[in-house]
Amino acid sequence: MKSWPASIVALQHRNFRLLWVGLLLSFSGSMMQNAALLWHVSLLVPPDRKAIALGLVGLVRVAPIIVFSMVSGVVADALDRRRVLLITQTLAGLVALLLAVLAYRGLAAAWPIYVLAALGAAVSAFDLPARQALVPTLVPREQLPNAINLNSLLFQTASVIGPAMAGGVIAASGVAAAYAYNAASFGFVIQIGR
């Protein structure tokens, strides 16, 4: 059997590796969508209201996380984590798809973006604990610190790649394409988890 370097030893486990790659694509898409949301709102509101409109995006995204974080850990512990992850990734993909459809149809008001951003944040409040609780079931205990480090690397990488991709995609194809790419990115995790 091939020996894996210590810095990525947890990736030798097939299920963790598939989840990790899928989440890298999914998180990159989500970060792309976060940048696209701000750009989209800035296009829809008058210049004198941009600051408050952009701040409101952050508010509608943080409020559901605060509210649902009280129960999301309990849900992750009580239910099958894999199933919770599949549901949250599917719902997040549907939110991105709705954003894409609205953008392709020429959305003229910002309020649907706020509603969908809040819904997406509520879904992610359940996604994170389920994902974190799933990792210890995919790797041996002695490789858990490496798996956690790799997940941190995944998030940091996606935080850089996603917004950069958003700029390129929005410049080339428009904001709707960024949402559509994000919707497609959830398909990788959903397909792996089936």
Side-chain angles (χ1 to χ4, degrees):
M1 182 189 311
K2 178 181 159 184
S3 177
W4 287 70
S7 60
I8 59 169
V9 70
L11 290 174
Q12 74 181 325
H13 303 283
R14 180 183 180 276
N15 289 339
F16 177 75
R17 183 172 61 247
L18 289 173
L19 179 67
W20 192 86
V21 169
L23 287 174
L24 177 62
L25 296 170
S26 177
F27 278 157
S28 296
S30 294
M31 295 300 172
M32 179 171 52
Q33 178 171 298
N34 290 345
L37 285 169
L38 295 171
W39 179 257
H40 200 177
V41 167
S42 75
L43 295 175
L44 295 175
V45 298
D48 62 326
R49 294 181 47 214
K50 279 189 186 184
I52 192 76
L54 294 175
L56 193 54
V57 172
L59 179 63
V60 301
R61 293 190 69 235
V62 77
I65 292 171
I66 292 169
V67 170
F68 291 115
S69 66
M70 304 297 180
V71 296
S72 60
V74 174
V75 169
D77 287 339
L79 302 177
D80 177 29
R81 293 164 186 137
R82 187 178 140 274
R83 186 171 195 83
V84 172
L85 189 63
L86 283 174
I87 291 168
T88 58
Q89 292 288 299
T90 301
L91 291 173
L94 289 173
V95 167
L97 188 59
L98 282 171
L99 284 164
V101 168
L102 290 173
Y104 278 123
R105 295 184 76 191
L107 179 66
W111 71 265
I113 295 173
Y114 295 129
V115 170
L116 290 171
L119 184 58
V123 168
S124 71
F126 288 90
D127 183 77
L128 180 64
R131 187 172 19 86
Q132 288 177 334
L134 183 63
V135 171
T137 67
L138 301 176
V139 298
R141 184 179 180 93
E142 64 273 5
Q143 293 175 0
L144 188 57
N146 180 247
I148 292 168
N149 285 338
L150 287 169
N151 280 344
S152 178
L153 174 66
L154 176 155
F155 183 76
Q156 297 302 322
T157 302
S159 296
V160 173
I161 291 173
M165 288 175 20
V169 169
I170 291 170
S173 304
V175 72
Y179 297 140
Y181 284 125
N182 184 40
S185 77
F186 289 105
F188 293 102
V189 177
I190 293 166
Q191 187 61 34
I192 290 166
R194 296 173 98 201

